[in-house]
């Protein structure tokens, strides 16, 4: 079959028909993960960042280039929109893209524009997500976007699809679409790439004169002013919106179409920002319409991971923390540190009043280790105890200490305090229910009893044990689950708002990736 890549002699395949693309995917899929980057072409650094992310996370990267007529109103720039397939192909080749899918409108069975939409089957996102922000001024636009994205996801059958946060409304609508239609794909959000001036990169920047480009940088500066006010304590939408307006008023050529503050996921307007808000704007420079946005966030996220013993919580949590630069709030290490201190001070473990007074005013510091396989660095009352708390002697006593109400109370208070600045991930039995009931994301990490027994038996086998009795392991795990769920102090309980993640059949890396996807989802 004719393929443009042969003509250009480069390492990227270019397909213009659905049949060609499908057979390419069928041949190459094998066990490989496929990443799709949907674009309208005229590629720039913003697109490159999506492509690079896809290349880092998947095995086969496909970029679609399609100027979707269904998302343009008749008055909009469908016919002027830059089309430069040859240049884009070269760029994709340089970036190591495996294949480009560049169909015609006819091939996609989508001739015409928004006005002819009624002649095709459409995917209609919820009204309340399209009646705000850009949707208010571009009727039909997001129906066009949702329809084409659904078609592309069906055609490519990718594992992951990459979208820019620059089009924040599009991103939220696509995430909702994937959820509502149960599409088996992970949507990955990528940060906004900007010029040095702060102007968000866009294929439409080509329409701006040099002076307009300079002036347009004021859009981001004005959003930053609002962010600074937010950080300083201003949380009322009207005031934050006014700050943007006042700052943009300095540029006479800028005609604001809208400035709105909405919830980043539901897109519902906010009158004030509790923890997170999306401040989004559309501005005309002449006939060129530019959009931009900024996420206002009180503090970095708090993530709570709970679940039964043996589900892999601590390994997974440690790795997620390392990958995202979060502090792993190792609550187990805190109990160990107190146990170490009690043992050092010569107090009898069972002397609860003495332990209680020792734990009053104790100071524990946790710091992220250099590598994910190293334990959290721990100091208690200024003494570094990272290694000392891992001895068999401490291990033998730690549950007796952790069962004491006074110890529990002090440490939970300390954990809450440590959590205040955010940027932490913690695991345990009651992190989401008791320690951080307001966590931004709660995950209940679990696996069937059989799976946990199998993993345990594998661990024991790796440690050299033979004659492992799998049915005994099953009974032990069931007994432990029962005990953990019925404890009076800190019982194991799934928070109502926790996402249940069942890890049967998943590798640690797959679980880590799923949690990172949830965290990122939650953060935009
Ligand atoms: P477009 O070609 O404009 O439809 O954009 C294709 C994808 O690239 C969309 O997911 C956009 O959100 C994303 N994108 C466009 N510009 C940027 C940017 N400056 N930074 C990050 N992503 C972007």
């Amino acid at each position: 079959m004719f393929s443009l890549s042969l003509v250009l002699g480069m390492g990227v395949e270019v397909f213009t028909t659905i049949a060609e693309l499908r057979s390419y995917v069928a041949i190459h899929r094998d066990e490989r993960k496929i990443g799709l980057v949907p674009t309208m072409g005229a590629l720039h650094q913003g697109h490159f960042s999506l492509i690079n992310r896809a290349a880092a996370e998947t095995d086969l990267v496909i970029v679609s280039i399609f100027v979707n007529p269904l998302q343009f109103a008749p008055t909009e720039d469908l016919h002027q929109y830059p089309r430069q397939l040859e240049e884009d192909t070269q760029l994709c080749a340089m970036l190591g893209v495996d294949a480009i899918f560049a169909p015609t409108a006819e091939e996609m069975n989508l001739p015409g524009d928004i006005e002819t939409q009624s002649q095709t089957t459409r995917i209609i996102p919820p009204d309340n997500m399209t009646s705000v922000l850009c949707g208010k001024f571009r009727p039909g636009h997001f129906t066009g976007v949702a329809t084409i994205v659904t078609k592309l996801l069906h055609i490519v059958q990718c594992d992951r699809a990459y979208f820019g946060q620059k089009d924040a409304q599009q991103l939220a609508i696509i995430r909702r679409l994937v959820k509502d239609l149960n599409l088996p794909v992970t949507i990955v959000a990528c940060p906004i790439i900007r010029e040095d001036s702060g102007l968000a990169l866009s294929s439409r920047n080509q329409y701006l004169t040099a002076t307009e480009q300079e002036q347009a940088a004021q859009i981001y500066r004005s959003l930053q002013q609002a962010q600074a006010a937010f950080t300083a304590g201003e949380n009322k939408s009207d005031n934050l919106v006014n700050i943007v307006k006042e700052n943009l008023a300095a540029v006479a050529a800028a005609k604001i179409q809208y400035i709105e503050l909405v919830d980043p996921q539901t897109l519902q307007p906010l009158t004030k920002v509790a923890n997170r808000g999306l401040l989004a704007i559309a501005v005309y420079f002449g006939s060129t319409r530019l959009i931009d946005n900024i996420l206002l966030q009180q503090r970095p996220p708090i993530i709570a991971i709970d679940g039964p013993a043996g589900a892999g919580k601590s390994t997974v949590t440690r790795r997620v923390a390392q990958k995202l630069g979060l502090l792993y709030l190792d609550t187990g290490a805190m109990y160990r540190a107190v146990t170490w201190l009690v043992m050092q001070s010569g107090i009898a473990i069972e002397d609860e009043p003495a332990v209680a007074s020792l734990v009053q005013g104790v100071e524990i510091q946790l710091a992220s280790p250099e590598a994910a396989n190293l334990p959290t660095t721990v100091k208690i009352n200024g003494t570094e105890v990272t290694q000392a708390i891992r001895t068999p002697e401490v291990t033998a006593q730690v549950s007796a200490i952790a069962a004491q109400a006074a110890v529990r109370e002090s440490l939970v208070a300390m954990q809450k305090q440590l959590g205040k600045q955010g940027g932490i991930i913690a695991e345990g039995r009651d992190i989401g229910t008791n320690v951080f009931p307001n966590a931004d994301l709660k995950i209940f990490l679990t696996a069937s009893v059989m799976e946990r027994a199998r993993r345990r038996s594998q661990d024991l086998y790796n440690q050299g044990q033979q004659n492992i009795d799998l049915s005994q392991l099953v009974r032990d795990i069931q007994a432990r689950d029962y005990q953990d769920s019925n404890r009076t102090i800190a019982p194991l309980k799934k928070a109502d708002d926790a996402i249940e993640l069942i890890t049967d059949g998943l590798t640690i890396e797959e679980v880590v990736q799923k949690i990172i996807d949830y965290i990122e989802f939650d953060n935009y």
Side-chain angles (χ1 to χ4, degrees):
M1 177 112 7
F2 173 79
S3 164
L4 191 57
S5 62
L6 296 177
V7 179
L8 296 171
M10 295 187 298
V12 56
E13 306 258 9
V14 181
F15 301 109
T16 53
T17 69
I18 296 170
E20 275 182 306
L21 193 268
R22 281 208 164 128
S23 77
Y24 172 84
V25 170
I27 293 166
H28 290 85
R29 175 182 291 280
D30 212 359
E31 291 282 277
R32 301 200 274 180
K33 292 243 176 295
I34 298 182
L36 172 67
V37 181
T39 80
M40 298 208 298
L43 303 183
H44 52 66
Q45 297 280 345
H47 301 110
F48 300 172
S49 71
L50 272 56
I51 293 171
N52 288 334
R53 176 90 181 261
E57 294 179 351
T58 63
D59 310 305
L60 199 71
V61 178
I62 300 177
V63 172
S64 64
I65 299 181
F66 181 63
V67 183
N68 171 30
L70 276 194
Q71 67 189 67
F72 287 80
T75 51
E76 293 181 350
D77 56 344
L78 173 63
H79 301 293
Q80 293 79 47
Y81 199 87
R83 287 166 173 85
Q84 44 191 59
L85 183 59
E86 204 165 312
E87 211 178 311
D88 287 346
T89 305
Q90 291 181 17
L91 290 167
C92 285
M94 285 188 320
L95 291 166
V97 169
D98 296 286
I100 293 175
F101 178 48
T104 59
E106 288 68 30
E107 177 69 14
M108 292 299 276
N109 201 18
L110 286 178
D113 51 28
I114 280 175
E115 288 213 321
T116 49
Q117 277 198 3
S118 58
Q119 292 167 26
T120 186
T121 304
R122 287 159 296 158
I123 298 290
I124 305 174
D127 273 354
N128 66 1
M129 295 184 88
T130 56
S131 58
V132 291
L133 310 172
C134 294
K136 201 187 285 177
F137 302 93
R138 303 187 74 187
H141 172 74
F142 288 109
T143 295
V145 169
T147 304
I148 188 65
V149 171
T150 307
K151 283 165 76 83
L152 288 169
L153 293 176
H154 273 292
I155 293 168
V156 181
Q157 307 261 314
C158 56
D159 300 280
R160 300 170 77 78
Y162 295 81
F163 292 88
Q165 289 165 350
K166 163 144 185 296
D167 299 271
Q169 184 170 20
Q170 167 174 290
L171 176 65
I173 288 174
I174 289 168
R175 283 184 149 154
R176 180 67 189 271
L177 170 153
V178 164
K179 181 167 177 252
D180 288 352
L181 301 184
N182 307 98
L183 302 183
V185 61
T186 300
I187 299 300
V188 182
C190 303
I192 302 177
I193 305 296
R194 301 177 179 281
E195 303 276 6
D196 290 343
S197 66
L199 174 63
L201 294 186
S202 162
S203 306
R204 288 193 170 99
N205 290 355
Q206 294 186 17
Y207 302 150
L208 300 173
T209 63
T211 317
E212 283 173 333
Q213 292 224 4
E214 260 170 51
Q215 293 170 330
Q218 185 67 17
I219 300 173
Y220 184 50
R221 284 197 286 270
S222 58
L223 293 175
Q224 284 180 306
Q225 290 297 322
Q227 187 176 47
F230 175 72
T231 308
E234 178 59 77
N235 68 355
K236 290 201 189 65
S237 294
D238 286 351
N239 297 345
L240 291 163
V241 163
N242 280 334
I243 292 171
V244 181
K245 278 188 188 152
E246 281 159 22
N247 270 276
L248 256 183
V251 181
K255 303 279 177 262
I256 297 172
Q257 187 181 52
Y258 71 78
I259 310 173
E260 269 194 83
L261 192 47
V262 299
D263 178 279
Q265 282 176 32
T266 64
L267 303 180
Q268 296 319 288
L270 300 172
T271 47
K272 74 180 194 189
V273 189
N275 184 35
R276 263 198 301 260
L278 176 77
L279 185 56
I281 185 168
V283 183
Y284 273 102
F285 277 82
S287 58
T288 306
R289 185 174 174 278
L290 303 176
I291 57 169
D292 202 346
N293 66 78
I294 203 163
L295 189 70
L296 305 179
Q297 190 161 343
Q298 283 293 355
R299 49 156 177 71
I302 296 176
I303 296 133
I305 308 227
D306 288 308
K313 291 186 306 271
S314 66
T315 313
V316 161
T317 306
R318 215 180 284 281
R319 292 205 195 175
V320 172
Q322 235 244 336
K323 284 205 166 183
L324 297 187
L326 299 166
L327 173 68
Y328 169 36
L329 185 63
D330 189 343
T331 54
M334 295 173 80
Y335 286 101
R336 284 175 172 274
V338 169
T339 307
W340 177 88
L341 191 68
V342 171
M343 290 166 77
Q344 283 289 306
S345 62
I347 295 172
I349 299 284
E350 57 281 1
D351 185 353
E352 290 203 19
V355 172
S357 72
L358 182 72
V359 104
Q360 282 284 315
V362 81
E363 211 178 274
I364 299 178
Q365 286 166 296
L366 300 177
S368 299
E370 292 290 306
N373 56 351
L374 296 175
T376 308
T377 306
V378 189
K379 281 188 183 174
I380 187 158
N381 291 341
T383 306
E384 169 149 7
V385 291
T386 311
Q387 298 303 331
I389 61 173
R390 307 271 159 200
T391 60
E393 293 75 24
V394 171
T395 304
Q397 302 293 353
V398 67
S399 35
I401 287 287
Q404 297 185 15
V407 173
R408 196 100 204 161
E409 256 167 45
S410 302
L411 289 198
V412 167
M414 204 182 291
Q415 287 155 12
K416 288 187 173 177
Q417 191 56 36
L418 282 168
K420 274 205 173 128
Q421 85 282 6
I424 59 154
I425 182 164
E427 49 89 13
R429 279 196 305 265
D430 67 339
I431 301 292
T433 46
N434 181 29
V435 183
F436 299 123
N438 295 326
D440 301 289
L441 176 68
K442 297 178 190 174
I443 290 182
F444 193 76
L445 194 73
T446 183
S448 66
V449 172
M450 200 54 211
E451 172 84 9
R452 284 184 281 146
R454 256 198 305 270
R455 288 182 195 163
R456 180 87 188 111
S457 86
Q458 187 63 49
D459 285 349
L460 293 172
Y461 181 78
N462 293 344
Q463 289 160 20
Q465 276 202 38
Q466 314 228 309
N467 303 329
I468 300 157
D469 180 351
L470 196 61
S471 53
Q472 183 56 47
L473 287 178
V474 167
R475 285 193 293 278
D476 291 349
I477 290 172
Q478 280 168 333
R480 172 79 192 264
D481 281 357
Y482 180 82
Q483 200 185 21
D484 283 346
S485 307
N486 292 287
R487 285 174 192 278
T488 37
I489 298 174
L492 170 68
K493 191 169 175 289
K494 177 176 168 294
D496 291 339
D497 51 350
I499 297 167
E500 187 170 52
L501 179 50
I502 300 168
T503 65
D504 287 44
L506 298 177
T507 63
I508 289 176
E509 274 321 306
E510 284 169 334
V511 177
V512 167
Q513 188 57 57
K514 275 187 187 288
I515 295 178
I516 290 177
D517 289 340
Y518 282 129
I519 295 172
E520 293 191 341
F521 183 116
D522 213 59
N523 275 294
Y524 219 99

